[in-house]
Amino acid sequence: MGRRPYDSRDRLIAAMCHLMSERGYTATSPRMVLDRAELGKGSLYHHFDTKQELGLAAIETMRARHVRFLAKFLDDQPSASDYLAHVLTVTFDKRDGQALVRLLADPTVTSGVGLSTGATQWLEDIRAVAAGAVRTGESQQHGPHSVTELASVANAHVTTALGEALLGLSTWVPFTDAPHR
């Protein structure tokens, strides 16, 4: 009770999230989304005008989930810089993190405005959470530091984890063994 039903729109977004993490945006066709969601042809364009609009909805869903996941783990131990690096690496290996890495590596996405803006904002949210964790940890251990210094430390960790994820992109195995629903 209290939750709205999981409807065809939700199924389309969930399917797009999964496919974007497995294949990336460009390599995902509307037909693949419909097949994964187990919906008929008219469902996609009943809820979304374009594939890009569906992609943006998927990005927003994954962005919120990924940032919440990251914040939860960093709240547990915000003081350790090596813990931040580990958590960032782990989150880029998760489904939502893989989708972000694929979005950032996709020239079709990065050359346009809509999807690129969504991916960039997602990355900025991750940087903000990381900076907050570094700020909290450093002030507990060493007293106050400048916001610029702390943001720089956090950004270095995010950049390193993202770089490692980009380098490992070719070794990721798609999640095709899992049930589609």
Side-chain angles (χ1 to χ4, degrees):
M1 284 182 52
R3 283 181 65 188
R4 72 181 186 83
Y6 192 69
D7 64 8
S8 59
R9 184 179 193 283
D10 296 325
R11 289 170 56 186
L12 289 165
I13 292 171
M16 187 64 161
C17 290
H18 286 246
L19 288 164
M20 285 172 59
S21 69
E22 292 170 11
R23 307 176 54 82
Y25 174 79
T26 300
T28 298
S29 71
R31 179 80 255 160
M32 290 173 185
V33 174
L34 290 167
D35 289 347
R36 178 68 60 99
E38 297 180 350
L39 294 170
K41 196 166 149 180
S43 298
L44 180 64
Y45 296 108
H46 172 74
H47 295 289
F48 301 98
D49 291 334
T50 63
K51 174 186 167 189
Q52 181 176 347
E53 192 178 300
L54 173 59
L56 287 169
I59 287 171
E60 286 306 310
T61 298
M62 291 184 289
R63 176 178 147 203
R65 191 170 48 215
H66 188 192
V67 171
R68 263 193 324 271
F69 178 83
L70 180 60
K72 175 193 176 294
F73 280 92
L74 292 177
D75 282 346
D76 291 342
Q77 293 184 359
S79 60
S81 185
D82 58 337
Y83 184 72
L84 171 62
H86 170 73
V87 169
L88 286 165
T89 300
V90 166
T91 64
F92 284 126
D93 282 341
K94 299 278 184 205
R95 184 182 305 273
D96 293 340
Q98 287 183 3
L100 176 59
V101 171
R102 290 186 192 284
L103 284 166
L104 294 170
D106 187 334
T108 302
V109 171
T110 57
S111 66
V113 175
L115 294 169
S116 177
T117 301
T120 301
Q121 184 58 54
W122 185 353
L123 190 54
E124 289 305 314
D125 289 352
I126 290 170
R127 285 188 176 121
V129 169
V134 170
R135 190 174 308 116
T136 301
E138 288 298 313
S139 66
Q140 288 173 353
Q141 290 181 0
H142 307 291
H145 290 277
S146 77
V147 172
T148 306
E149 284 178 326
L150 297 175
S152 178
V153 169
N155 192 43
H157 284 300
V158 171
T159 302
T160 300
L162 184 58
E164 289 173 4
L166 283 166
L167 289 173
L169 185 62
S170 64
T171 63
W172 286 344
V173 177
F175 298 106
T176 54
D177 295 335
H180 296 307
R181 289 183 67 172

